[in-house]
Amino acid sequence: MATDQPVVPLAEGIEHDQSEWEKATAAVLRKTRRLAEDAPDSDVWSLLTTTTLDGLSITPLGTADLVADLPETGLPGEAPYTRGSGTADPELTGWDVRGWFTDPDTTPEDLATELENGANSLWLTVGERGIAADRLATLLEPVFLDLAPVVLDAPEDPVAAAEAFLAVCRDKGTDPHALTNLGAGGHDLEAVVRVATLAKEAGVRGVVVDASALHDRGASEVQELAWSMMVAVTYLRALEAAGFTTDEAAAQLEFRYAATDEQFPTIAKLRAARTLWNRVGELSGIGEAARAQRQHAVTSRPMMARYDSYTNMLRTTVAGFAAGVGGAEAVTVLPFDEPLGLPTPFSRRIARNTSSLLIHESHVAKVADPAGGAYAVEKFTDDLAMAAWELFAELDGLDELEGVADLDAAAERLLPLVEAVRDDRALQIARRQRPITGVSEFPNPAETLPERRPYPVAPEVHRYAGEFEQMRDEPVAAPVFLATMGPIAAHTARATFAINLLAAGGIGIGAAGATADVAEAVDRYLEAGAPPVVCLAGTDQAYGAWGADLVAALRENGASHVVVAGKTDIGQDASAAMGLDALAFLRGLREELQR
């Protein structure tokens, strides 16, 4: 078949070219009126290409030309480690399922239950935000520390936590597991060096490069990657200055990234992170084996919602899947009730079972780098790596990693960029272009939030659903009257849209039901007590036939603010349609209701 289009062989003797895909896709888009009848089929590319918060483009279809000029990614377990720091797992043991504990009242039985029912390692918050350091001996009494890695997180005093843990190991007469990490981090480089020295003597890791902390503040994928490289290089320099060799310093680091329910960006981010770290290692003189990045992926806190919290199970399942496919060695699936307070035994069980199901029933861990070779993923991985490297160079402000980094100065440069991304994301959420199920979409206004004990110190997280949830926390007493026009079948679509939209803002609804004309709709309105705010929901045909008369009649009978579901202009005060800034609309409507 003679053609200038790329040929895609589907089966022996059958070939299709790109123009056929464009034609089929264009036909669908014309039916939905997203593509004009006289527009060329090739316009589907621009219509369906998405742009990330970092300004990177993702095409709707991966093609071979996307990867024609990309560098080789090697094999799994080989530099540049894009395809994974390890090779395939023939025993199907999967990734390290890491259980998270921050409850000050955690018991030894809690840890034993976690390890006996699917978890491989423990992640313990120690100090003011969690478990007291002097309780570690009691808590870890039933744990075989040579078999189960323990990762500490003690931001207030990492040295004291590390010393307390190593004392427990000595008292038990055992060496800690080689994958144990004493968990130093933050901007206190003296503490990082001290803990790394203790870790080196004990034969374990001592430092965590926690990029998820920046993600919690609203950072994008590129920003999270660039910051992780900045922090890691700073730690390398500090450790080398303290007498560590480059390989010894690199061996002390474990990287923590957030995994979100946007699965392809998460997969690409983890792959790009390994590529970036390999490049840092090359420039820093780190041996090839020591350049293999060890990753711990934790499901995103900002993506979690307090309302309809059970939907968090869906989010964390997708995020856990993406973390495993992306090649993380350790994965923490956060309990679904994490936004509400301290998790319960039930929510911890669901969290660890999520990984167990992905590994042992879905067999996600059976293949190393299952996304490898997918044109769109490979291209996006490279785009993320290139953009993150450019931002890292700006943060570091130096050429070829020479000189002394200043994390505080780098943070000052980065945080305004994070705030800009946070604002862009918030606007997309407000316009419901990034829907949050159970909060901005399909809310349950009758829901009573489950009660959980509060955290010792509330985590600093910029939750994506936060602004909608604030309105839900303070529902408006006065309802909006929904003037549904025509039979139920005719007004259901727009009525459902209006009900969901208003419920997302903590606003109740009183619906008219089926109505045949202005008089019947007004009668229903008066029976409801003539609320001051009314929303019309009907078809365009009904709006044209008697919508303006209904608006006028409602005003005559006490309505002070009339909204129409749709873009028709029939003399209303406001319109509610797809694409509106839902937050601004709801805030304005709440003000009307509270007058």
Side-chain angles (χ1 to χ4, degrees):
M1 179 168 59
T3 177
D4 293 331
Q5 295 287 344
V7 174
V8 183
L10 299 182
E12 186 175 354
I14 301 176
E15 293 182 346
H16 293 274
D17 64 36
Q18 190 169 294
S19 65
E20 293 179 76
W21 176 82
E22 292 174 354
K23 181 178 180 180
T25 306
V28 174
L29 294 180
R30 289 192 178 99
K31 288 180 181 178
T32 60
R33 299 182 181 180
R34 292 185 62 188
L35 184 67
E37 289 295 331
D38 58 350
D41 293 346
S42 58
D43 281 3
V44 299
W45 291 98
S46 58
L47 283 173
L48 297 179
T49 294
T50 58
T51 303
T52 71
L53 292 168
D54 291 304
L56 303 177
S57 296
I58 305 177
T59 64
L61 181 69
T63 55
D65 60 296
L66 290 177
V67 300
D69 298 326
L70 298 187
E72 291 292 329
T73 55
L75 296 174
E78 296 181 1
Y81 301 105
T82 307
R83 304 202 61 198
S85 295
T87 55
D89 177 17
E91 301 299 325
L92 197 59
T93 55
W95 52 82
D96 172 355
V97 180
R98 183 165 294 173
W100 171 63
F101 288 86
T102 193
D103 189 340
D105 298 326
T106 299
T107 66
E109 291 74 24
D110 291 332
L111 301 188
T113 297
E114 192 81 359
L115 293 170
E116 291 169 359
N117 291 278
N120 307 109
S121 64
L122 301 171
W123 175 20
L124 307 180
T125 303
V126 180
E128 296 176 7
R129 299 172 182 270
I131 300 162
D134 59 11
R135 292 195 63 228
L136 287 178
T138 301
L139 278 183
L140 296 173
E141 193 278 328
V143 178
F144 293 93
L145 298 177
D146 55 337
L147 300 179
V150 175
V151 176
L152 303 179
D153 184 9
E156 293 86 18
D157 195 345
V159 176
E163 290 175 340
F165 174 78
L166 293 176
V168 173
C169 294
R170 288 193 299 271
D171 292 343
K172 291 170 73 75
T174 187
D175 292 328
H177 191 285
L179 296 181
T180 289
N181 195 313
L182 302 183
H187 293 199
D188 186 348
L189 298 185
E190 290 185 6
V192 168
V193 170
R194 176 59 182 150
V195 174
T197 301
L198 293 172
K200 178 183 174 183
E201 294 170 354
V204 298
R205 296 175 187 260
V207 183
V208 172
V209 177
D210 188 4
S212 71
L214 191 71
H215 171 85
D216 288 350
R217 301 184 69 167
S220 66
E221 284 82 15
V222 165
Q223 291 166 349
E224 189 179 349
L225 288 169
W227 180 245
S228 71
M229 294 302 113
M230 181 67 198
V231 173
V233 167
T234 303
Y235 292 166
L236 279 183
R237 292 167 175 157
L239 293 174
E240 288 177 0
F244 286 71
T245 68
T246 54
D247 282 13
E248 287 172 341
Q252 283 295 310
L253 306 186
E254 181 176 305
F255 291 73
R256 182 177 297 143
Y257 294 103
T260 75
D261 55 359
E262 295 183 20
Q263 58 184 335
F264 290 112
T266 293
I267 293 167
K269 178 174 70 178
L270 295 174
R271 299 173 88 248
R274 294 190 294 270
T275 306
L276 290 166
W277 183 238
N278 178 74
R279 181 57 179 155
V280 169
E282 288 178 332
L283 296 175
S284 303
I286 299 172
E288 182 173 314
R291 300 200 300 264
Q293 186 187 66
R294 179 164 178 80
Q295 293 178 338
H296 170 205
V298 54
T299 55
S300 166
R301 285 182 170 86
M303 75 174 181
M304 306 271 268
R306 288 191 296 117
Y307 283 92
D308 204 356
S309 58
Y310 293 101
T311 59
N312 290 329
M313 295 184 195
L314 306 179
R315 298 182 181 100
T316 55
T317 297
V318 176
F321 167 85
V325 171
E329 283 85 3
V331 177
T332 295
V333 174
L334 291 177
F336 69 86
D337 53 0
E338 183 274 339
L340 296 167
L342 292 171
T344 63
F346 171 72
S347 62
R348 287 200 298 268
R349 177 168 67 86
I350 295 297
R352 65 175 177 266
N353 283 354
T354 300
S355 278
S356 295
L357 290 170
L358 289 169
I359 293 168
H360 299 295
E361 294 194 20
S362 299
H363 305 297
V364 174
K366 187 67 173 177
V367 179
D369 190 30
Y375 299 137
V377 174
E378 296 287 8
K379 173 60 174 171
F380 193 38
T381 297
D382 188 71
D383 287 347
L384 279 177
M386 295 294 289
W389 188 263
E390 182 178 344
L391 178 56
F392 163 55
E394 293 176 9
L395 294 176
D396 192 61
L398 302 163
D399 294 329
E400 299 302 328
L401 311 181
E402 295 176 355
V404 178
D406 185 337
L407 285 181
D408 292 327
E412 287 181 7
R413 279 187 254 176
L414 182 57
L415 288 179
L417 303 180
V418 172
E419 290 174 2
V421 164
R422 196 165 64 193
D423 290 344
D424 289 345
R425 183 190 292 108
L427 182 58
Q428 292 180 15
I429 292 171
R431 291 174 175 170
R432 304 205 293 183
Q433 296 165 339
R434 286 176 175 257
I436 302 174
T437 303
V439 182
S440 68
E441 297 282 354
F442 309 112
N444 175 12
E447 177 186 11
T448 299
L449 287 180
E451 293 185 4
R452 295 292 185 268
R453 291 184 298 119
Y455 291 101
V457 177
E460 298 177 7
V461 179
H462 183 83
R463 299 194 186 273
Y464 302 156
E467 292 184 282
F468 278 98
E469 290 181 334
Q470 287 174 9
M471 289 190 289
R472 291 279 297 277
D473 289 342
E474 300 176 359
V476 179
V480 168
F481 180 75
L482 186 63
T484 43
M485 302 171 63
I488 292 175
H491 68 237
T492 291
R494 279 183 170 151
T496 301
F497 171 83
I499 290 170
N500 283 331
L501 173 62
L502 298 181
I507 301 172
I509 283 283
T515 58
D517 52 29
V518 171
E520 188 172 6
V522 171
D523 286 344
R524 301 284 176 81
Y525 169 69
L526 294 174
E527 291 170 4
V533 178
V534 181
C535 178
L536 273 62
T539 62
D540 288 344
Q541 183 178 3
Y543 289 156
W546 50 289
D549 291 339
L550 179 57
V551 170
L554 290 168
R555 292 192 194 282
E556 291 174 0
N557 285 276
S560 61
H561 190 82
V562 179
V563 178
V564 169
K567 296 182 179 179
T568 304
D569 185 359
I570 52 175
Q572 73 272 19
D573 299 292
S575 297
M578 295 296 294
L580 91 163
D581 185 331
L583 278 174
F585 169 81
L586 291 170
R587 285 168 178 156
L589 203 60
R590 287 168 63 93
E591 291 177 2
E592 291 290 339
L593 289 166
Q594 291 169 343
R595 286 182 179 179

